[in-house]
């Protein structure tokens, strides 16, 4: 199928347009329109709401003529440097003959329909002087209003070409003003939001950490057009780079008020020497547009993630009990045996053994030793992991285990035997992040080792049911003893990581794995292709988690967010459990020390969660009352039939007399249906203050609302919503 709306001629092996060539990338509600002019310059004519009549796309340029574009490529589809371009490029190269100029012209395009919902447009660009080409890929998901974009760079010159910049995507937007919502943070402070108006010039979001790249700044963002978008109003674009390493996103507001978004791998310390015939494939950049505010954009992205990107995105997840905060490194078989019994007693699916189970010469009794020596510690576990897997089965639960296979302690047998496997400068003093160094995954032998850590565990313990994959160190003194060209290191490290994960998933396609990186240091959709869930933060204080989980929820569905009940924070067990239920529920507590009513509450809450988890995991998510804008935070999950839902409400302001002063207006309901709201997760010995014998129309609940009666004595209120037939 070809999207050309006007004829073209084939001249000297290239497609040269007689008249305007139009290539719309359409979804249900949005369109990006690419156009080619007489000189074969390929530009972005439009990014916005889809037109009903495709033939009218060719009228857009005349309606939105760019004035004073001296270069003619200001809205280029993939801006090259060194020729006519005067702004930030998407690609910069040095040719084999030393020339630094590049001019990419349209050659051809093709559109392939992958299924009833997914299409892929490929646009082929080539330099008219050099044998250098770029193919732009636009993969559109019609029903979800999501587009993935990436580039493939090739050449056939006589010698290597140096790629100095190599973006995945180059978007151009047109509005009166732009508002950027970005995120920053640190350990235990992930996903701190800032929103500012973009001014002329360049704003860059980036990371140079090598691993755990999202620690200080994640690669997700929003851009609102004309005014800051609210939850239900305004035009907003969500963007995210599907990459787990160094990233760079340039947002340039030019002199004509066009916003240019250029996203891809960070070219920091990474000029890439591209051989003739080699294909350099960039990671995908995804975006979704909404004309109805942030809420619609997030639900679009959630549906896309569950259907196409998350591992087992429409499947089940395991609730669990983790031993970390119960024991830290101090445990043995007897302690773990009791915790396994507590797992069954609590009512969750799986027991997760965390850090500290391995290493003998340098026992893993703290975080200063043993990392890299993946053999059971004989003192702690004389009968090995297999005996624990068996005992878990005898207790009617599953067994999972923690690993951090990319890292090594200098105090380890692995470091002693293979110092050349470690990322470090050969002539400089070692510098540690959490007493660790990073293994060199650019080295295929190291890739085999890391894969072998996982494979060996499953080979010896085929009933092992869960992996928590951690990654705590960033890269200092970047150097690979394996690579000849150190400029390739950051890129080859990530390629090596993905090769390992691909091998693991090829052999163990269904085993649940948690993506952990000392918290949310590596949460992106490239990694989540291999993992069933992610760990948002080591900060499990439930009050903090309300704010963090709120911001994460714009980009990642609840199914993927692992939330644990711990002893962090001053809130009672009910508040902590209720907050953790807004995703994939887990516990990290000493069950045997729980007061009788606390244990009873947890058991009943888990039972309620099992009844409602399908709605939380697979339903639509609606943010009703923002924790930064109100004393009460309210979040609604609703099933596809608009028949059942669950509404979470929390007091987030402890000042005197704060409460839910006004009704919370619900969203997404069927206005014609009748609903009953029932309070659940009541602490033993308490009763609800809410009436359960009244039904309300969806129309009433959305226009007038319902007051959950949140106050200092009822700091957490969960309501089950049921259709009354």
């Amino acid at each position: 199928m070809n999207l050309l709306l006007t004829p073209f001629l084939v001249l000297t092996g290239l497609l040269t347009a007689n008249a305007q060539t139009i290539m719309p990338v359409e979804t249900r509600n949005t369109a990006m329109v690419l156009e080619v002019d007489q000189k074969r310059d390929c530009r972005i004519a439009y990014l916005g709401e889809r037109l009903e009549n495709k033939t009218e796309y060719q009228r857009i340029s005349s309606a939105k003529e760019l004035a004073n574009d001296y270069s003619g490529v200001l809205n280029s589809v993939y801006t090259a440097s060194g020729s006519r371009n005067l702004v930030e490029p998407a690609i910069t190269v040095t040719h084999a003959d030393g020339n630094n100029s590049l001019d990419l012209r349209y050659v051809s395009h093709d559109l392939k329909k992958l299924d009833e919902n997914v299409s892929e447009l490929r646009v082929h660009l080539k330099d008219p002087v050099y044998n250098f080409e770029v193919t732009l890929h636009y993969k559109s998901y019609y029903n979800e209003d999501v587009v993935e974009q990436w580039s493939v760079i090739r050449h056939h010159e006589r010698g290597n070409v140096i790629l100095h910049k190599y973006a995945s995507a180059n978007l151009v937007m047109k509005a009166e003003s732009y508002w950027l919502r970005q995120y920053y943070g640190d350990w235990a402070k992930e996903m701190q939001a800032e929103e500012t108006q973009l001014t002329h010039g360049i704003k860059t979001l980036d990371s140079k950490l090598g691993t755990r790249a999202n620690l200080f700044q994640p690669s997700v963002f929003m851009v609102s057009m004309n005014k800051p978008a609210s939850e239900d109003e305004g035009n907003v674009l969500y963007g995210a780079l599907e990459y787990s390493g160094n990233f760079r996103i340039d947002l340039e507001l030019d002199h004509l008020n066009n916003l240019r978004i250029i996203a891809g791998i960070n070219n920091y310390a990474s000029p890439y020497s591209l051989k003739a015939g080699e294909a350099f494939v960039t990671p995908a950049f995804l975006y979704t547009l909404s004309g109805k505010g942030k809420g619609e954009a997030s639900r679009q992205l959630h549906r896309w993630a569950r259907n196409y990107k998350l591992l087992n995105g429409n499947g089940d997840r395991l609730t669990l009990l983790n031993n970390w905060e119960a024991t830290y490194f101090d445990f043995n078989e007897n302690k773990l045996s009791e915790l396994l019994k507590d797992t069954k007693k609590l009512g969750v699916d799986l027991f997760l053994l965390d850090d500290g189970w391995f290493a003998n010469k340098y026992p893993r009794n703290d975080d200063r030793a043993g990392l890299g020596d993946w053999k059971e510690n004989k003192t702690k576990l004389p009968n090995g992991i297999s005996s624990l897997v068996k005992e878990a089965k005898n207790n009617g639960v599953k067994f999972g285990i923690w690993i951090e296979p990319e890292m090594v302690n200098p105090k380890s047998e692995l470091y002693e035997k293979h110092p050349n496997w470690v990322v470090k400068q050969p002539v400089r003093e070692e510098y540690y992040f959490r007493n660790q160094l990073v293994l060199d995954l650019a080295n295929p032998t190291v890739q085999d080792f890391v894969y072998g850590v996982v494979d060996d565990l499953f080979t010896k313990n085929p009933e092992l049911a869960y992996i928590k994959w951690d990654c705590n160190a960033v890269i200092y003194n970047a150097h690979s003893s394996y690579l000849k060209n150190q400029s390739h290191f950051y890129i080859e490290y990530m390629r090596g990581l993905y090769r390992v994960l691909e091998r693991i998933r090829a052999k163990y396609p269904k085993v649940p794995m948690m993506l952990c990186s000392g918290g949310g240091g590596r949460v992106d959709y490239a990694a989540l292709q291999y993992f069933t869930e992610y760990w948002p933060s080591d900060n499990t204080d439930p009050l903090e988690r309300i704010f963090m989980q709120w911001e994460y929820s714009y980009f990642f569905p609840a199914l993927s967010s692992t939330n644990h009940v711990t002893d962090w924070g001053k809130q009672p067990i009910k508040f902590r459990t209720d907050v953790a239920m807004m995703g994939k529920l887990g516990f990290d507590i000493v069950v045997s020390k729980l007061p009788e009513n606390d244990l009873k509450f947890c058991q009943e809450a888990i039972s309620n969660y099992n009844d409602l988890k399908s709605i939380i995991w697979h339903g639509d998510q609606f943010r009703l009352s923002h924790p930064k804008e109100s004393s009460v935070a309210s979040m609604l999950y609703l099933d596809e039939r608009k028949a059942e839902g669950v509404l979470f409400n929390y007091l987030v302001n402890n000042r005197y007399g704060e409460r839910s002063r006004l009704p919370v207006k619900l969203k997404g309901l069927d206005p014609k249906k009748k609903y009953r709201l029932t309070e659940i997760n009541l602490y033993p010995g308490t009763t609800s203050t809410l009436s359960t014998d009244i039904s309300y129309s969806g129309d009433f609940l959305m226009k007038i609302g319902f007051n959950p009666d949140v106050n200092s004595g009822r700091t957490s209120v969960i309501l089950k919503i049921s259709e009354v037939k």
Side-chain angles (χ1 to χ4, degrees):
M1 179 179 178
N2 199 308
L3 280 180
L4 281 177
L5 300 179
T6 52
F8 58 84
L9 297 176
V10 179
L11 297 178
T12 62
L14 301 177
L15 299 180
T16 304
N18 268 347
Q20 190 186 37
T21 299
I22 299 295
M23 296 167 282
V25 179
E26 291 188 312
T27 64
R28 181 185 296 275
N29 295 300
T30 67
M32 175 192 285
V33 180
L34 314 181
E35 68 174 16
V36 181
D37 65 13
Q38 295 280 354
K39 295 180 180 180
R40 293 183 288 111
D41 285 326
C42 189
R43 297 191 285 249
I44 297 175
Y46 176 71
L47 179 59
E49 191 174 357
R50 182 175 68 88
L51 300 183
E52 291 298 324
N53 185 351
K54 282 187 179 183
T55 62
E56 291 190 310
Y57 286 131
Q58 57 192 322
R59 300 175 181 171
I60 290 176
S61 287
S62 60
K64 295 189 174 185
E65 190 66 38
L66 287 174
N68 299 321
D69 177 7
Y70 305 105
S71 65
V73 292
L74 196 58
N75 59 339
S76 172
V77 73
Y78 197 68
T79 313
S81 67
S83 53
R84 292 175 289 157
N85 176 43
L86 299 173
V87 291
E88 183 65 26
I91 183 169
T92 303
V93 307
T94 297
H95 294 285
D97 65 1
N99 190 284
N100 291 325
S101 69
L102 185 64
D103 187 9
L104 295 172
R105 304 293 181 99
Y106 171 83
V107 177
S108 64
H109 73 273
D110 57 83
L111 178 68
K112 184 177 182 181
K113 197 168 179 63
L114 304 180
D115 60 35
E116 289 303 310
N117 188 53
V118 185
S119 300
E120 184 177 328
L121 173 68
R122 296 185 300 175
V123 180
H124 307 283
L125 309 174
K126 190 176 184 302
D127 191 301
V129 175
Y130 286 90
N131 199 351
F132 186 98
E133 60 190 59
V134 175
T135 300
L136 304 178
H137 295 250
Y138 301 85
K139 192 174 183 179
S140 55
Y141 301 82
Y142 188 83
N143 290 322
E144 292 79 14
D145 282 323
V146 170
V147 176
E148 290 181 292
Q149 181 180 345
W150 67 96
S151 57
V152 179
I153 304 167
R154 294 183 181 88
H155 76 90
H156 296 281
E157 299 183 24
R158 294 181 179 179
N160 293 344
V161 170
I162 307 300
L163 305 181
H164 300 286
K165 193 173 183 183
Y166 27 84
S168 300
N170 184 163
L171 305 185
V172 181
M173 304 167 65
K174 188 71 175 177
E176 292 296 323
S177 58
Y178 308 89
W179 297 79
L180 172 67
R181 188 175 184 86
Q182 65 181 94
Y183 298 88
Y184 72 97
D186 197 349
W187 179 81
K189 299 176 182 178
E190 290 85 351
M191 291 300 283
Q192 305 298 308
E194 293 179 317
E195 190 157 18
T196 54
Q197 184 174 0
L198 286 170
T199 56
H200 291 85
I202 299 178
K203 170 76 173 183
T204 298
L205 312 177
D206 76 337
S207 174
K208 303 179 181 73
L209 304 181
T211 64
R212 204 176 172 185
N214 290 346
L215 177 61
F216 301 143
Q217 186 163 48
S219 56
V220 296
F221 64 94
M222 307 178 197
V223 174
S224 300
M225 283 72 83
N226 301 319
K227 64 178 181 179
S230 67
E231 193 66 26
D232 302 305
E233 294 181 344
N235 297 308
V236 63
L237 177 143
Y238 283 22
L241 187 67
E242 298 177 40
Y243 192 63
S244 310
N246 294 344
F247 63 85
R248 175 174 169 178
I249 299 163
D250 295 315
L251 300 104
E252 181 175 22
L253 186 57
D254 67 28
H255 65 290
L256 297 181
N257 226 47
N258 304 298
L259 181 64
R260 307 171 66 256
I261 301 175
I262 298 174
I265 297 174
N266 198 336
N267 55 335
Y268 162 76
S270 299
Y272 190 87
S273 182
L274 186 67
K275 299 176 183 177
E278 178 186 356
F280 186 94
V281 182
T282 69
F285 173 78
L286 72 88
Y287 73 86
T288 185
L289 276 168
S290 166
K292 298 179 181 178
K294 298 173 182 176
E296 180 186 71
S298 71
R299 287 185 289 277
Q300 291 168 177
L301 199 52
H302 292 176
R303 283 190 288 270
W304 170 82
R306 290 193 298 263
N307 290 336
Y308 295 101
K309 192 58 61 170
L310 272 176
L311 189 67
N312 194 24
N314 290 304
D316 292 328
R317 297 293 187 267
L318 297 169
T319 54
L320 60 82
L321 174 66
N322 193 0
N323 74 299
W324 179 244
E325 294 196 17
T327 67
Y328 294 98
F329 293 99
D330 182 19
F331 58 82
N332 55 35
E333 282 187 357
N334 290 333
K335 282 187 178 181
L336 296 180
S337 179
E338 292 304 310
L339 289 172
L340 281 166
K341 294 175 184 176
D342 288 342
T343 307
K344 180 66 174 177
K345 183 178 181 180
L346 186 62
V348 293
D349 303 317
L350 176 137
F351 174 76
L352 173 61
L353 175 59
D354 215 293
D355 195 357
W357 58 268
F358 50 90
N360 291 288
K361 182 177 180 180
Y362 304 105
R364 183 69 169 175
N365 295 323
D366 53 45
D367 68 1
R368 294 187 293 272
L371 196 61
D373 300 342
W374 300 102
K375 302 295 182 185
E376 297 98 328
N377 181 275
K378 295 177 181 177
T379 301
K380 295 180 182 179
L381 305 176
N383 296 303
I385 296 297
S386 59
S387 66
L388 295 172
V389 175
K390 183 177 180 180
E391 188 165 355
K393 185 176 181 180
N394 292 337
N395 278 278
V397 296
K398 299 178 184 294
F399 187 87
I401 199 164
W402 177 97
I403 56 174
E404 191 178 0
E406 297 167 68
M407 309 297 166
V408 63
N409 285 127
K411 192 174 181 179
S412 67
E413 290 185 82
L414 180 67
Y415 184 90
E416 290 177 344
K417 293 176 181 177
H418 301 287
N420 61 321
W421 285 9
V422 178
V423 175
K424 59 177 182 175
Q425 288 286 349
V427 296
R428 298 193 185 279
E429 182 181 359
E430 292 178 357
Y431 192 77
Y432 307 127
F433 193 104
R434 198 176 155 178
N435 305 303
Q436 298 175 195
L437 292 169
V438 179
L439 292 177
D440 181 12
L441 279 175
N443 186 336
T445 304
V446 178
Q447 295 171 29
D448 290 341
F449 169 79
V450 174
Y451 168 78
V453 172
V454 179
D455 189 46
D456 187 59
L457 280 169
F458 282 112
T459 300
K460 293 178 179 177
N461 310 285
E463 292 187 275
L464 190 65
Y466 188 89
I467 293 288
K468 178 181 178 182
W469 183 302
D470 214 340
C471 166
N472 284 298
V474 300
I475 292 176
Y476 296 120
N477 293 321
H479 178 86
S480 166
S481 62
Y482 171 79
L483 291 175
K484 293 181 180 179
N485 187 341
Q486 296 303 314
S487 295
H488 289 195
F489 169 72
Y490 285 116
I491 293 171
E492 292 299 341
Y493 180 91
M494 292 314 307
R495 288 176 174 175
L497 174 63
Y498 292 146
R499 287 189 192 105
V500 171
L501 292 171
E502 286 165 7
R503 289 176 66 186
I504 290 170
R505 281 309 176 195
K507 189 169 183 180
Y508 307 102
K510 297 182 180 179
V511 175
M513 291 206 307
M514 181 202 297
L515 173 63
C516 182
S517 192
R522 185 191 273 169
V523 184
D524 66 88
Y525 278 115
L528 283 171
Q529 296 177 91
Y530 307 104
F531 293 84
T532 47
E533 56 225 57
Y534 71 91
W535 183 237
S537 177
D538 282 348
N539 186 343
T540 52
D541 181 314
L543 189 60
E544 295 282 353
R545 273 298 190 105
I546 289 172
F547 291 84
M548 286 184 191
Q549 290 168 202
W550 192 281
E551 298 299 337
Y552 272 117
S553 77
Y554 285 115
F555 300 94
F556 305 100
L559 173 79
S560 63
S561 177
T562 303
N563 310 326
H564 287 183
V565 180
T566 74
D567 290 329
W568 280 51
K570 301 176 182 179
Q571 294 79 13
I573 192 74
K574 170 176 165 52
F575 192 99
R576 286 179 272 151
T577 304
D578 289 355
V579 171
M581 282 176 61
M582 291 197 298
K584 205 223 75 170
L585 176 65
F587 289 80
D588 200 339
I589 56 177
V590 185
V591 176
S592 61
K593 294 183 180 180
L594 286 176
E596 181 181 354
N597 278 343
D598 279 12
L599 176 60
K600 185 178 179 182
F601 168 79
C602 288
Q603 292 168 332
E604 292 178 354
I606 291 167
S607 177
N608 288 332
Y609 181 76
N610 288 335
D611 289 339
L612 296 169
K613 62 187 180 184
S614 180
I615 300 171
I616 297 169
W617 294 349
H618 306 124
D620 284 333
Q621 191 169 0
F622 297 88
R623 297 167 207 84
L624 308 182
S625 179
H626 199 295
K628 287 188 176 180
E629 299 170 359
S630 172
S631 294
V632 175
S634 295
M635 183 81 78
L636 169 67
Y637 299 84
L638 194 63
D639 74 350
E640 187 178 3
R641 299 179 297 115
K642 303 180 184 295
E644 291 186 287
V646 55
L647 174 59
F648 295 89
N649 306 275
Y650 309 100
L651 186 67
V652 293
N653 185 339
N654 291 323
R655 297 194 67 180
Y656 179 77
E658 288 302 320
R659 56 188 173 86
S660 52
R661 300 180 184 278
L662 298 171
V664 175
K665 294 181 180 180
L666 279 62
K667 301 174 185 176
L669 301 175
D670 185 332
K672 296 181 180 179
K673 288 183 176 180
K674 293 285 188 179
Y675 297 94
R676 179 170 287 114
L677 282 68
T678 307
E679 185 171 357
I680 61 171
N681 275 27
L682 291 165
Y683 191 80
T686 64
T687 57
S688 177
T689 61
L690 307 173
S691 175
T692 60
D693 58 359
I694 302 175
S695 62
Y696 304 86
S697 69
D699 182 60
F700 180 92
L701 291 171
M702 290 189 290
K703 292 177 179 176
I704 305 300
F706 184 89
N707 195 321
D709 191 24
V710 174
N711 55 56
S712 60
R714 288 167 48 83
T715 56
S716 174
V717 176
I718 299 183
L719 301 173
K720 180 181 179 181
I721 302 170
S722 306
E723 181 184 356
V724 178
K725 296 183 179 179

